[in-house]
Amino acid sequence: GENVEQHPSTLSVQEGDSAVIKCTYSDSASNYFPWYKQELGKGPQLIIDIRSNVGEKKDQRIAVTLNKTAKHFSLHITETQPEDSAVYFCAAPRGDYKLSFGAGTTVTVRA
Amino acid sequence: NAGVTQTPKFQVLKTGQSMTLQCAQDMNHEYMSWYRQDPGMGLRLIHYSVGAGITDQGEVPNGYNVSRSTTEDFPLRLLSAAPSQTSVYFCASSSDPESYEQYFGPGTRLTVT
């Protein structure tokens, strides 16, 4: 099955700086890569996703890049704000109907 | 729409006790799933269902049972609670499993002593 590794496990950034989280996957047939954000006391929520037919996707201050050859994808948050503080999870398909999640990255934005 | 709801929000059990975690969704989603979240391990799939009357095992199904008698409800049963089942449990639903976008409930924090 799919194995997803996520780094770093914690990330502290100064407000206004950029944050980058990287994930690697094992199944070269994987074709969909979502990122979820989990705020304290809540369930994860999808914030952006990318399919394997594109290399980059942006949505305001967040972007995801995909390198199929190297089997890794990254989340980029620019101009970080306090509300970006959360746990972020990457994921990749694990056969039909299922996702494998990374271990998560706790992002702290310092004012 | 309420989305995905879970009850209870918190629960403490003694080893050997049984209980049911409730999950309901009002979005008419066919696909529902249960995950557990443990520190440093991300979200691990326990059981999932692709429609009423159909369930299957995920990565960590031992000690848990599920059933899906209606589209809306997908309860998770702990048969005989163990300390290793101390975790935060999330229910999720999706309208199209092949799109993979899942909507998560707020979670149930379970402690087994």
Side-chain angles (χ1 to χ4, degrees):
Chain A
E2 180 65 272
N3 184 38
V4 179
E5 294 190 359
Q6 182 172 347
H7 299 281
S9 58
T10 61
L11 182 59
S12 179
V13 297
Q14 190 70 35
E15 183 177 356
D17 287 350
S18 296
V20 181
I21 306 168
K22 182 177 176 179
C23 287
T24 59
Y25 61 96
S26 59
D27 187 353
S28 57
S30 291
N31 59 1
Y32 174 76
F33 306 94
W35 286 91
Y36 284 79
K37 176 183 181 183
Q38 184 181 26
E39 297 177 344
L40 195 61
K42 297 184 178 180
Q45 183 175 14
L46 180 71
I47 55 171
I48 194 167
D49 55 19
I50 190 168
R51 294 193 180 269
S52 59
N53 57 344
V54 297
E56 183 177 6
K57 183 176 178 181
K58 290 183 178 180
D59 183 2
Q60 299 182 337
R61 296 186 297 106
I62 61 173
V64 56
T65 58
L66 172 65
N67 183 327
K68 289 184 62 180
T69 303
K71 289 191 283 188
H72 68 71
F73 57 110
S74 299
L75 178 71
H76 305 255
I77 308 173
T78 58
E79 301 173 20
T80 53
Q81 300 172 4
E83 55 264 36
D84 295 328
S85 293
V87 180
Y88 292 81
F89 293 97
C90 62
R94 180 190 171 94
D96 291 342
Y97 311 117
K98 297 184 284 290
L99 288 171
S100 279
F101 285 85
T105 298
T106 300
V107 174
T108 303
V109 179
R110 308 187 306 273
Chain B
N1 286 353
V4 180
T5 57
Q6 292 183 238
T7 57
K9 195 167 181 60
F10 301 96
Q11 183 70 49
V12 179
L13 290 178
K14 295 187 186 302
T15 298
Q17 288 184 318
S18 62
M19 78 159 295
T20 299
L21 279 61
Q22 301 292 344
C23 173
Q25 52 91 9
D26 61 0
M27 296 175 284
N28 202 33
H29 286 173
E30 290 294 326
Y31 178 76
M32 296 185 74
S33 53
W34 277 100
Y35 293 86
R36 60 178 289 173
Q37 183 178 20
D38 302 292
M41 302 188 75
L43 295 153
R44 292 182 293 168
L45 183 65
I46 305 172
H47 285 285
Y48 67 99
S49 169
V50 300
I54 306 169
T55 64
D56 206 347
Q57 297 180 349
E59 300 172 68
V60 289
N62 292 342
Y64 308 95
N65 271 359
V66 292
S67 60
R68 185 93 180 272
S69 56
T70 67
T71 299
E72 295 77 19
D73 300 298
F74 190 42
L76 178 72
R77 298 183 189 83
L78 278 70
L79 308 173
S80 178
S84 61
Q85 294 179 305
T86 294
S87 187
V88 181
Y89 291 85
F90 289 99
C91 178
S93 72
S94 174
S95 60
D96 177 4
E98 293 190 7
S99 79
Y100 294 108
E101 178 176 1
Q102 300 192 29
Y103 296 82
F104 284 85
T108 294
R109 182 173 293 275
L110 176 68
T111 302
V112 183
T113 62

